[in-house]
Amino acid sequence: MKIDLTALEHAHVLVVGDVMLDRYWHGGTSRISPEAPVPVVRVEDVEDRPGGAANVALNITSLGGHAVLAGVIGDDDNAQILQASLSASGESTYFQRSAEVPTITKLRVMSRNQQLLSLDFEQRLDSVDTTELVTQGEKALPDCDIVILSDYGKGTLNQVENLIANARAQGKRVLIDPKGQDFSKYRGASLITPNLTEFEAVVGHCATDAELSRRGEALRAELELEALLITRSEKGMTLIRDGHAPLHLPTRAQEVFDVTGAGDTVIGLMGLALAAGHA
């Protein structure tokens, strides 16, 4: 299939979900700590990137599309850093600020292109009333072609059923990167994109492609989805659609040192292509 890249410039995507700041400390390691058997990293560079749902939006704009991003952030310095980074890269944002929770931040310590340590600074958002976020998302729907819900299980999408219903009522397709073992809350969405581990946590281990396809179709029908896309690392992806044979998409496996954001890239590209009219 040949994709008209110019069509992407007219695509508008609403992204709602768990917004976070990805922070990287880069440095060399030349010795072991005398206090414990761990390497000592001499930090030489600090890099901040939009993460989670913010990374989905960033992928969309980097490919020429337009993204409106909605999520919950804290009232802190990391929120300012995240906001500035997104503004510089062209995303339109609506952030519900909360003084009760910090901006979700993930710190990764890197040396020689290897991740040595990952630290999470976060507090679940279940206690945050996201009604304001849902209302703002509903207002943004008329100007968007498609909706992506990026669920990292942090609590931003604690009203995911309302978000799906609002979007579908306005005739918008809804794509979801799911989390957890309860996929029933995503019923009525257009497409969900679990990875293999997430998928098997719901339907059980699949020993063969045929078994994976059979259980995938059963899940798709149960949740009333248009399609189900299972990402399978080095085995590629499997697309299951209503009324079509399963499509197994191979990949060219490569050794990488950091797979952070792979799922964000998949759903961002899928959403952008559909928003541009590539059904």
Side-chain angles (χ1 to χ4, degrees):
M1 178 180 69
K2 184 177 181 180
I3 296 179
D4 179 10
L5 295 180
T6 60
L8 302 182
E9 300 174 1
H10 304 288
H12 291 75
V13 182
L14 171 62
V15 181
V16 185
D18 294 310
V19 172
M20 55 194 73
L21 179 69
D22 285 346
R23 174 163 290 161
Y24 292 83
W25 287 357
H26 298 272
T29 55
S30 58
R31 62 190 180 93
I32 300 297
S33 171
E35 302 164 353
V38 295
V40 176
V41 179
R42 184 175 184 273
V43 177
E44 300 165 345
D45 182 51
V46 176
E47 179 184 11
D48 290 324
R49 305 178 193 170
N55 187 42
V56 176
L58 185 63
N59 275 291
I60 291 167
T61 56
S62 68
L63 291 169
H66 301 272
V68 176
L69 173 65
V72 177
I73 57 176
D75 187 13
D76 50 27
D77 290 342
N78 285 353
Q80 301 297 333
I81 293 171
L82 180 60
Q83 180 74 73
S85 177
L86 290 166
S87 297
S89 54
E91 289 79 19
S92 299
T93 58
Y94 171 74
F95 287 146
Q96 180 177 325
R97 291 182 177 268
S98 173
E100 301 172 358
V101 297
T103 300
I104 298 172
T105 302
K106 293 183 175 292
L107 170 62
R108 299 175 178 92
V109 181
M110 312 288 295
S111 183
R112 299 178 183 177
N113 291 332
Q114 296 293 328
Q115 187 176 143
L116 299 183
L117 183 66
S118 181
L119 302 173
D120 290 354
F121 302 86
E122 64 181 67
Q123 181 178 323
R124 287 195 56 83
L125 307 176
D126 301 282
S127 61
V128 178
D129 182 1
T130 56
T131 301
E132 183 183 351
L133 187 69
V134 173
T135 300
Q136 184 64 27
E138 189 172 11
K139 290 180 180 178
L141 281 171
D143 297 324
C144 294
D145 303 302
I146 208 159
V147 178
I148 292 177
L149 304 181
S150 179
D151 193 350
Y152 272 76
K154 308 302 183 184
T156 303
L157 297 179
N158 54 31
Q159 296 192 53
V160 66
E161 295 92 342
N162 291 338
L163 289 164
I164 294 171
N166 291 343
R168 300 300 278 170
Q170 294 195 34
K172 310 295 183 180
R173 277 176 161 166
V174 180
L175 279 58
I176 303 177
D177 190 356
K179 189 65 68 176
Q181 297 185 26
D182 178 17
F183 282 7
S184 63
K185 59 189 175 183
Y186 305 128
R187 179 172 281 104
S190 306
L191 169 77
I192 64 174
T193 61
N195 61 37
L196 183 60
T197 300
E198 293 165 340
F199 175 73
E200 290 187 328
V202 174
V203 306
H205 175 66
C206 299
T208 65
D209 285 353
E211 186 175 14
L212 179 139
S213 299
R214 184 171 63 253
R215 294 189 181 188
E217 171 54 28
L219 181 63
R220 186 209 63 74
E222 177 188 347
L223 299 181
E224 302 171 9
L225 307 171
E226 291 180 35
L228 170 69
L229 179 67
I230 306 164
T231 58
R232 305 171 61 191
S233 299
E234 73 279 359
K235 293 183 179 180
M237 299 185 289
T238 294
L239 178 64
I240 298 171
R241 296 171 292 169
D242 186 16
H244 294 78
L247 179 62
H248 300 290
L249 304 166
T251 188
R252 182 178 299 173
Q254 296 185 23
E255 184 176 352
V256 296
F257 64 88
D258 187 3
V259 297
T260 302
D264 299 337
T265 301
V266 170
I267 199 167
L269 182 56
M270 284 287 295
L272 184 57
L274 290 172
H278 299 283

